[in-house]
Amino acid sequence: MNTKGISTNKTDNHSSAKYDAIVIGAGMSGLYQLYKLRSLGFRVLVIEAGSGVGGTWYWNRYPGARFDSESYSYGYSFSKELLDEWDWKEHFSGQPEVERYCNYVADKFDLKKDICFSSRVSFAHYEKSNNSWSVGTDSGQEFSAQFLITAIGLLSTPTMPRFEGISDFKGSWCHTGLWPKEGIDYKDKRVAVIGTGASGVQAIQDISKTAKSLTVFQRRPNWCTPLHNGPISKKEMEEIRAGYPELFDHCKKTAACFIHTIDPRGTFEVSEEERLAFYESLYAGQGFGIWQGNFRDMLTDEQANKLMSDFVAKKIRERVEDPITAEMLIPKDHGFGTRRVPQETFYYEVYNQQNVKLVSMLDDPIQKITENGIQTRSNEFEFDVIIYATGFDAVTGAFNRIDIRGDNNVTLKDKWAKGPRTFIGMMVDDFPNMFMILGPHAALGNNPRSIEHNVEWISNFVDYMRENNLNGAEAPINAVDEWHELVSGKAESLLSNEVDSWMTGINLNVEGKQTRTVVRYTGTAPEYRARCDDVTRNYFKELHLF
Ligand code: NAP
């Protein structure tokens, strides 16, 4: 066993500076990575900016925040004991339950003792002389480790619009992704929500119930479909538990690891009657079935996609009483499912309420935030609360806010200036001994499934390195180029590739994110895992090992 880089000291003292691995982030990725490496005998430190575990589910505590995937498919699968002990309360659990779940996992496996909370990593520098990483936090702590593992999430860097006067506003305001623990009092208040992505839609549904008035500022509408949530009875939970092995096995076989399976039929292979009946059944079904379980050509064939879009547009017109408002809520610039589909519970009916108003920013753009509210081109609004549901600097944003420097002082930010390039989403050339969980160009979708895959692949490789007395590993440039070409090719056939969204690297609030880039791997998860397995089966020989 190599003892040069890997310490065998098992005492857990954060003031001690040398670790085998430093993991950034204590969300679902970081928690499992800590558990896994620790159980292999490595000494691991997790550094977390928040004061608690959960990552996404720690920060996004806005009203209405909840899973959009079936709870039982969205937890960890690695521990039978955990699966036996934890009862999900809702088919799509809300943030408080998910945060409790993350804490339950952390406590059950005694993970918190190895997490340095309330510390944001500001830099991570590779030291060639000893093949290790030096990592510093914004409070001045410094640590080092042979391995650096990023578990920083792909939607974890909230972005604010570049409006003039944001801080002049005298009422309460915040971003959905930075919702304060003590909450924001919006009951009987005049509230504005800016943004109608998945976060905005969830927040609007909830806030509209108790706000005195709610004004929604929408730039581009999204196609939203019913979640059909509901409680899980004790009996149902027992049935779900009995079916866990088959459920997780099934998720491994679907394109994006969701429980929904793409329908093998093409849209035009069935009669109109059959097609409409199928659409109706999808609309009446739960969760992402309508997106991930639709006809096989719905996301690749414009005509097929148009039929589906027309069907959802008709539903919106039926549900929204005012025809002008209904038209404002129907996307005209992209087809159904080509951006992430927000899941809703009576979202469209919110606009039938007397206390709710929709402002289209395409017709009446916001000009500035004032002391008392919002000034648009043709109106002045007064508010007590302004909520920014304006999204994230997705995929690369969390990397860019850390000064990550690899071999020869190369910065990751510079390396990715024209878009990310990775090998199987987990490694980057010039960044030895650095691994990413849910990095750019890894298989995404049902993220906990992807997280478990990435963590297990990384842990297995790190273990292999220890067993083989290796000090370092790096993805060679040709492997990165090859992966990049494959990922770019996969994206070409998709309609979503022709649409602006975080999934195509666009965020108009962020410098340098105005042109579309391929940031996701869009092949199937089974294909992705097979490629990763090849690397393992070939004893990692495609990598530069030293
Ligand atoms: P988002 O999808 O990027 O939506 C941001 C919204 O803010 C959009 O409507 C956008 O309008 C608007 N916006 C941004 N900047 C603006 C500006 N300067 N002026 C006016 N409008 C502006 O962000 P999100 O809703 O936070 O969701 C991001 C992702 O997080 C989702 O796609 C999903 O993957 C994940 N998420 C998951 C869940 C869940 O699983 N339960 C819940 C919430 C979010 P444009 O469309 O015109 O740009």
Side-chain angles (χ1 to χ4, degrees):
M1 178 167 140
N2 173 28
T3 47
K4 257 192 256 170
I6 300 174
S7 126
T8 48
N9 181 352
K10 295 248 173 73
T11 50
D12 299 299
N13 175 1
H14 302 161
S15 60
S16 157
K18 181 78 187 167
Y19 292 87
D20 298 327
I22 289 175
V23 177
I24 312 178
M28 285 192 76
S29 305
L31 290 179
Y32 185 39
Q33 186 64 81
L34 168 58
Y35 168 85
K36 194 75 195 163
L37 282 181
R38 196 212 265 167
S39 62
L40 289 169
F42 291 97
R43 190 158 179 253
V44 187
L45 176 71
V46 177
I47 306 177
E48 165 57 50
S51 63
V53 298
T56 287
W57 303 105
Y58 169 91
W59 295 104
N60 287 269
R61 49 185 76 238
Y62 60 85
R66 65 174 61 253
F67 279 163
D68 273 350
S69 298
E70 292 72 6
S71 309
Y72 26 90
S73 74
Y74 221 63
Y76 293 113
S77 71
F78 70 87
S79 160
K80 174 153 187 335
E81 233 178 71
L82 177 61
L83 292 168
D84 285 344
E85 287 167 10
W86 183 265
D87 285 356
W88 290 105
K89 299 284 183 287
E90 289 183 274
H91 284 273
F92 301 88
S93 290
Q95 180 275 335
E97 188 185 349
V98 184
E99 194 186 14
R100 270 199 307 280
Y101 173 73
C102 293
N103 276 284
Y104 183 84
V105 172
D107 292 335
K108 176 176 173 60
F109 298 111
D110 195 17
L111 300 177
K112 288 180 184 168
K113 66 179 182 193
D114 288 332
I115 304 174
C116 180
F117 287 107
S118 304
S119 300
R120 185 173 285 284
V121 170
S122 52
F123 73 83
H125 296 164
Y126 178 67
E127 313 265 350
K128 199 182 182 118
S129 57
N130 55 6
N131 306 305
S132 68
W133 283 86
S134 163
V135 178
T137 70
D138 54 5
S139 51
Q141 300 146 292
E142 282 198 31
F143 305 98
S144 79
Q146 184 179 5
F147 300 105
L148 174 71
I149 303 173
T150 64
I152 52 185
L154 45 134
L155 294 153
S156 53
T157 305
T159 48
M160 291 289 287
R162 304 188 216 190
F163 299 142
E164 191 191 315
I166 288 176
S167 54
D168 295 343
F169 180 58
K170 288 198 171 139
S172 313
W173 61 274
C174 80
H175 189 286
T176 45
L178 292 170
W179 198 266
K181 267 189 174 171
E182 62 281 11
I184 286 194
D185 183 13
Y186 54 83
K187 189 168 175 277
D188 298 325
K189 301 269 186 345
R190 299 164 303 170
V191 183
V193 173
I194 304 172
T196 52
S199 305
V201 165
Q202 289 184 333
I204 288 162
Q205 290 165 183
D206 239 60
I207 291 169
S208 64
K209 291 177 189 157
T210 54
K212 181 178 177 190
S213 68
L214 170 62
T215 309
V216 176
F217 291 85
Q218 170 191 269
R219 193 163 58 187
R220 286 181 302 154
N222 282 302
W223 298 101
C224 312
T225 50
L227 181 66
H228 294 303
N229 190 18
I232 299 177
S233 67
K234 270 261 169 227
K235 183 166 171 293
E236 261 180 306
M237 191 60 229
E238 286 318 314
E239 285 164 10
I240 290 166
R241 200 182 327 275
Y244 267 141
E246 292 77 24
L247 182 136
F248 290 122
D249 195 45
H250 171 72
C251 286
K252 277 196 178 150
K253 294 180 184 136
T254 62
C257 299
F258 292 109
I259 63 175
H260 309 284
T261 314
I262 293 167
D263 194 287
R265 295 171 300 169
T267 303
F268 301 101
E269 289 168 11
V270 299
S271 67
E272 186 182 4
E273 198 184 1
E274 232 179 305
R275 177 174 58 75
L276 289 173
F278 182 52
Y279 287 168
E280 287 291 352
S281 71
L282 291 173
Y283 202 77
Q286 282 186 322
F288 283 145
I290 197 164
W291 188 29
Q292 298 291 323
N294 213 309
F295 290 116
R296 66 172 150 74
D297 51 1
M298 196 271 288
L299 296 173
T300 51
D301 179 310
E302 265 180 51
Q303 293 312 314
N305 185 270
K306 176 153 183 352
L307 290 180
M308 183 61 205
S309 304
D310 289 347
F311 172 84
V312 182
K314 187 165 171 279
K315 291 286 179 195
I316 299 172
R317 290 188 186 106
E318 284 165 7
R319 292 174 58 184
V320 179
E321 286 164 10
D322 173 36
I324 296 173
T325 306
E327 288 316 306
M328 281 160 70
L329 287 163
I330 296 172
K332 308 288 190 307
D333 65 343
H334 68 281
F336 177 79
T338 60
R339 300 174 95 196
R340 204 302 204 149
V341 177
Q343 300 275 279
E344 48 92 16
T345 305
F346 301 122
Y347 172 67
Y348 289 110
E349 286 73 10
V350 161
Y351 296 97
N352 300 334
Q353 291 179 204
Q354 288 304 313
N355 65 334
V356 179
K357 181 181 166 63
L358 179 65
V359 176
S360 168
M361 293 174 63
L362 298 176
D363 304 326
D364 193 13
I366 291 180
Q367 291 203 317
K368 65 173 180 176
I369 309 296
T370 64
E371 279 187 11
N372 298 318
I374 293 177
Q375 189 183 309
T376 61
R377 189 165 57 199
S378 45
N379 274 302
E380 186 126 12
F381 297 85
E382 290 199 356
F383 296 113
D384 306 306
V385 180
I386 300 179
I387 292 161
Y388 295 90
T390 45
F392 300 89
D393 184 356
V395 187
T396 52
F399 290 93
N400 286 344
R401 62 176 170 176
I402 303 173
D403 175 23
I404 302 177
R405 286 169 194 264
D407 211 356
N408 300 319
N409 221 20
V410 175
T411 71
L412 192 61
K413 196 172 178 175
D414 284 347
K415 193 162 198 75
W416 287 356
K418 291 193 181 132
R421 302 174 75 88
T422 72
F423 178 60
I424 56 175
M426 290 189 268
M427 299 178 77
V428 185
D429 55 303
D430 284 332
F431 291 78
N433 293 356
M434 182 182 94
F435 299 97
M436 303 173 290
I437 306 167
L438 294 191
H441 300 168
L444 308 172
N446 178 336
N447 287 337
R449 306 282 65 78
S450 312
I451 287 168
E452 286 190 337
H453 170 271
N454 279 186
V455 165
E456 285 160 19
W457 191 91
I458 292 166
S459 305
N460 181 43
F461 183 32
V462 165
D463 195 35
Y464 175 88
M465 289 180 67
R466 177 175 65 180
E467 293 306 314
N468 290 278
N469 293 320
L470 293 165
N471 290 320
E474 185 188 348
I477 181 80
N478 64 314
V480 171
D481 286 347
E482 213 176 283
W483 186 247
H484 194 261
E485 204 174 309
L486 180 133
V487 170
S488 306
K490 295 264 176 210
E492 270 166 24
S493 59
L494 293 175
L495 297 173
S496 58
N497 205 35
E498 309 302 319
V499 173
D500 286 355
S501 79
W502 70 260
M503 300 202 281
T504 46
I506 298 285
N507 185 326
L508 301 181
N509 303 316
V510 178
E511 198 78 44
K513 287 209 165 179
Q514 271 74 31
T515 39
R516 286 185 205 142
T517 329
V518 176
V519 293
R520 296 180 308 146
Y521 164 87
T522 52
T524 70
E527 285 167 344
Y528 172 78
R529 278 194 300 268
R531 180 68 185 93
C532 296
D533 287 348
D534 279 349
V535 182
T536 307
R537 206 173 302 111
N538 293 328
Y539 302 101
F540 307 100
K541 284 189 190 127
E542 300 173 53
L543 303 171
H544 174 216
L545 305 174
F546 49 96

